[in-house]
Amino acid sequence: MRSSTVTEAAVWTALGEVIDPELGCNIVDLGLVYSVNVDGGKVSIVMTLTTFGCPMHESIRWGVQNALLALDGVMEADVQVVWDPPWHPSMMTDRGRASVGISVPPQP
Amino acid sequence: MSDTSKRASQGGAGVPALGATSSVMLPLSFILVGLVAFLTGIGWLLLQPSLLATYHYNQTIIAVTHLFVLGWICSVIMGAMYQLVPVALETSLYSLRLARWHLILHVIGFSGMVWMFQEWNLKQVGHFGSVLAVGVGLFVYNLARTLWRVPRWTLPATAITTVLAWLSFTVVVGLTVAAGKCTYDATPTATWTGGLLAGLRTATGLVSRFDPVSAMHAHAHLGGIGCFTVLIVGVSYKLVPMFTLSEVQSLKRAGFSVLLLNFGLAGAFATILLRSPWKFFFALMLLAALVLYGVEMRAILRARKRRTLDWGLRYFLTAIALLGPTGLMAAVLSWPDLPLTEWTGQLETAYAFTALLGVVTFAIMGMLYKIIPFLVWYRRYSKQIGRTQVPSLSQLYSARLQSVGYWCFLAGLILVSLGIIAGHASCIRLGCIGMAISATTLVCNVGLMLSHFLRPTVPERVVPRLTVSASI
């Protein structure tokens, strides 16, 4: 039995390990994670993907769940994939833009 | 509490996983069959370059054309469609079992057809063609039932539907042409086989009304434009925006391009078959469709958020660019009352070669660099993502080999095309060497990708951990 308490910082760090295999960049740098909510042992994530109908949809969602459930103290992981607001490169970090090949931060 | 008691829940808009739609091994099997046919075809031309230096209406060139069209192009496209159609249209494949039967019938059918074309035994071509046709029937039925489940009807769905219709028509016309070249001495009886015999005699009577070369050209255009060009155009409206992080800029323009392609093909088929001067008009209609398509692709690319184009996309975009010279050759060849001289005969061969080994093959090679890594990654790493470091798709193969393959193929294509027009066998052989090197790089890269099934790798570059302050 685990008794440790999960922190939001630990959740963001774990999410930073999950990559979009097509773009080769982690989902946090891509700006795909919209919100993180930690409620005791339950973690809820609201996220999006770069393209509707992305073939990697299920894999990335599995990846997020795997990463969350591997954290000490996480008993339940709820991953919501939403399309509103739609993803835009302006949501990416500078490092993400550099990694994917977007040099100038575009305006939404 | 143990780890197994942990719970995962999902919500939001859903797209089915590949595991629910198709098998990884099924599209890979089609693709591997295609690669074997591709290597065989290139090797054949390398050994007999004179085939392309003379007029194309002979048994060997028809055999090698069917090896490329059915063995290479159709195998890869059909395998890719079993994987891509459910994914792109957000649905699931109707039947994996039917698809497996299709693979068996397809391999028997096209191998036998190529062999019998080479022997110029058209009755046996018809028999093997019938086996192939049964497989195509299963394919069309399977994908039609899959399309029936599509939750949102889109332009790619429309294009794929028309591709299935043109594919069916191409096979029927091909079998009719083959049947028309045979003689049937037996007396029809009131049995099932008697009915078949009567049908074949009717086909013979029908085909004999048309010039055999025109019938062959009409059949070739049905396949080349109806199946391959419409498919490339249709799916690129989904795939190019997806891979470049862009969007279709004008749905109306995109829709018109698909519509014009289909109308243009219907007219081109009839006018080629009848040797009508109106074929020039329909060639212009097809060119207009391709111009609209090119304008829309340019707009999509200009609006892309991902500035860097990987080699897979460069292959695909080269295919699109090659539609230009191919279309121009089509316009010249469709000119009313163009005399059939040695030069125009060679231009016809160059046109077909550029279309099949240029446009379609470049598009296929580009998409293979998207499809195969995805299939391998999905099978090997999708369960590990989030648990351990996994490679990205581009880390499964060598980009250097990819670029060498690109330049060798482009150089080879130009040399072979010029060699065909000039009727110069040595130039054709030199170009085939470039193509053979390119095909080898593709096979090496496929081998690198498939090796992940046996030896999974962890990427050397560690995905950087984020600091919380930088991420929110």
Side-chain angles (χ1 to χ4, degrees):
Chain A
M1 184 171 294
R2 289 172 175 168
S3 56
S4 58
T5 306
V6 66
T7 64
E8 196 173 316
V11 170
W12 280 103
T13 304
L15 293 175
E17 296 291 339
V18 181
I19 64 163
D20 178 328
E22 167 61 25
L23 298 174
C25 181
N26 72 70
I27 61 170
V28 178
D29 275 334
L30 281 172
L32 298 180
V33 182
Y34 285 168
S35 73
V36 170
N37 184 41
V38 180
D39 182 10
K42 180 179 178 182
V43 179
S44 302
I45 303 290
V46 178
M47 63 175 291
T48 191
L49 297 169
T50 54
T51 310
F52 184 80
C54 170
M56 292 295 181
H57 183 127
E58 285 302 318
S59 298
I60 294 172
R61 187 148 71 174
W62 279 339
V64 171
Q65 284 178 336
N66 286 337
L68 295 176
L69 292 173
L71 287 172
D72 279 349
V74 176
M75 293 295 114
E76 185 176 346
D78 178 28
V79 182
Q80 298 275 337
V81 177
V82 299
W83 304 106
D84 188 24
W87 175 83
H88 190 272
S90 61
M91 298 166 176
M92 296 170 74
T93 65
D94 289 342
R95 185 168 54 191
R97 276 194 283 269
S99 156
V100 176
I102 299 173
S103 53
V104 181
Q107 296 303 310
Chain B
M1 188 179 288
S2 68
D3 280 353
T4 52
S5 67
K6 293 188 171 201
R7 291 198 299 127
S9 56
Q10 301 175 347
V15 172
L18 179 71
T21 62
S22 181
S23 150
V24 165
M25 296 318 290
L26 175 79
L28 273 181
S29 302
F30 270 99
I31 288 167
L32 291 178
V33 166
L35 282 173
V36 171
F38 184 44
L39 288 174
T40 309
I42 296 284
W44 197 336
L45 291 180
L46 195 58
L47 293 174
Q48 286 185 274
S50 58
L51 285 174
L52 295 174
T54 51
Y55 191 61
H56 55 266
Y57 195 59
N58 67 72
Q59 63 199 68
T60 308
I61 199 65
I62 292 175
V64 79
T65 301
H66 280 81
L67 177 61
F68 278 120
V69 170
L70 299 175
W72 159 235
I73 298 172
C74 280
S75 297
V76 174
I77 281 181
M78 286 166 167
M81 283 177 77
Y82 279 127
Q83 192 250 321
L84 279 178
V85 170
V87 168
L89 304 183
E90 299 138 36
T91 184
S92 54
L93 184 68
Y94 173 68
S95 169
L96 191 57
R97 193 176 176 189
L98 285 182
R100 288 185 177 132
W101 275 108
H102 172 210
L103 175 64
I104 295 167
L105 295 170
H106 178 74
V107 173
I108 294 170
F110 92 77
S111 308
M113 282 179 74
V114 171
W115 176 28
M116 287 301 141
F117 268 125
Q118 174 62 22
E119 299 291 319
W120 204 240
N121 183 338
L122 292 178
K123 197 165 275 187
Q124 295 304 329
V125 166
H127 293 156
F128 281 109
S130 301
V131 174
L132 183 102
V134 173
V136 169
L138 296 181
F139 174 73
V140 171
Y141 176 74
N142 206 353
L143 285 192
R145 293 295 299 259
T146 303
L147 285 164
W148 193 255
R149 301 171 169 186
V150 168
R152 293 184 311 141
W153 200 255
T154 57
L155 184 60
T158 305
I160 289 164
T161 304
T162 60
V163 166
L164 296 180
W166 288 122
L167 175 64
S168 307
F169 192 40
T170 307
V171 171
V172 169
V173 170
L175 282 177
T176 307
V177 170
K181 290 180 186 297
C182 299
T183 52
Y184 306 95
D185 299 327
T187 307
T189 55
T191 60
W192 181 85
T193 50
L196 181 66
L197 191 61
L200 289 170
R201 282 186 167 165
T202 306
T204 308
L206 184 70
V207 173
S208 63
R209 296 180 189 177
F210 302 103
D211 167 51
V213 175
S214 300
M216 182 179 74
H217 287 176
H219 166 62
H221 280 81
L222 276 182
I225 300 173
C227 303
F228 307 146
T229 311
V230 175
L231 186 69
I232 289 170
V233 168
V235 301
S236 63
Y237 286 132
K238 173 75 181 178
L239 297 179
V240 173
M242 190 166 82
F243 291 128
T244 59
L245 301 179
S246 186
E247 289 169 1
V248 170
Q249 299 299 296
S250 167
L251 201 54
K252 189 181 282 184
R253 187 163 52 200
F256 263 117
S257 68
V258 174
L259 194 71
L260 273 179
L261 262 183
N262 283 291
F263 276 114
L265 175 58
F269 171 73
T271 50
I272 291 171
L273 189 63
L274 298 169
R275 299 179 72 99
S276 161
W278 279 92
K279 68 182 175 184
F280 182 66
F281 171 78
F282 290 104
L284 290 183
M285 188 183 281
L286 289 167
L287 278 178
L290 295 178
V291 167
L292 277 180
Y293 171 62
V295 170
E296 180 56 29
M297 274 296 126
R298 185 167 174 268
I300 289 171
L301 288 172
R302 285 169 76 97
R304 75 186 190 274
K305 294 150 194 154
R306 192 180 187 185
R307 306 314 301 172
T308 315
L309 295 173
D310 59 39
W311 279 103
L313 271 171
R314 288 183 205 182
Y315 274 84
F316 193 80
L317 296 176
T318 303
I320 294 174
L322 284 169
L323 283 169
T326 311
L328 280 179
M329 281 192 268
V332 171
L333 290 168
S334 63
W335 191 261
D337 298 326
L338 185 76
L340 179 57
T341 62
E342 192 179 339
W343 188 82
T344 52
Q346 287 309 108
L347 190 65
E348 285 177 0
T349 307
Y351 160 64
F353 190 84
T354 313
L356 296 177
L357 272 294
V359 175
V360 183
T361 298
F362 255 117
I364 285 178
M365 289 197 292
M367 281 304 111
L368 280 183
Y369 277 113
K370 296 291 179 188
I371 294 166
I372 302 177
F374 170 73
L375 291 171
V376 171
W377 188 95
Y378 191 89
R379 172 87 171 211
R380 194 64 196 85
Y381 296 108
S382 65
K383 295 279 193 280
Q384 271 77 48
I385 185 171
R387 290 182 175 142
T388 183
Q389 301 272 318
V390 293
S392 65
L393 301 190
S394 61
Q395 288 174 311
L396 302 187
Y397 55 85
S398 160
R400 178 169 295 189
L401 273 179
Q402 216 181 355
S403 66
V404 169
Y406 173 90
W407 291 113
C408 285
F409 201 83
L410 188 61
L413 180 73
I414 293 168
L415 279 174
V416 174
S417 301
L418 293 175
I420 291 171
I421 292 171
H424 198 290
S426 298
C427 185
I428 293 170
R429 175 167 279 156
L430 195 62
C432 285
I433 290 172
M435 290 180 143
I437 294 170
S438 176
T440 307
T441 63
L442 177 63
V443 169
C444 288
N445 256 338
V446 171
L448 278 177
M449 291 184 249
L450 296 182
S451 72
H452 284 257
F453 284 140
L454 301 173
R455 289 181 289 106
T457 59
V458 173
E460 291 173 12
R461 186 179 65 81
V462 176
V463 177
R465 278 183 172 267
L466 294 171
T467 57
V468 178
S469 57
S471 63
I472 305 174

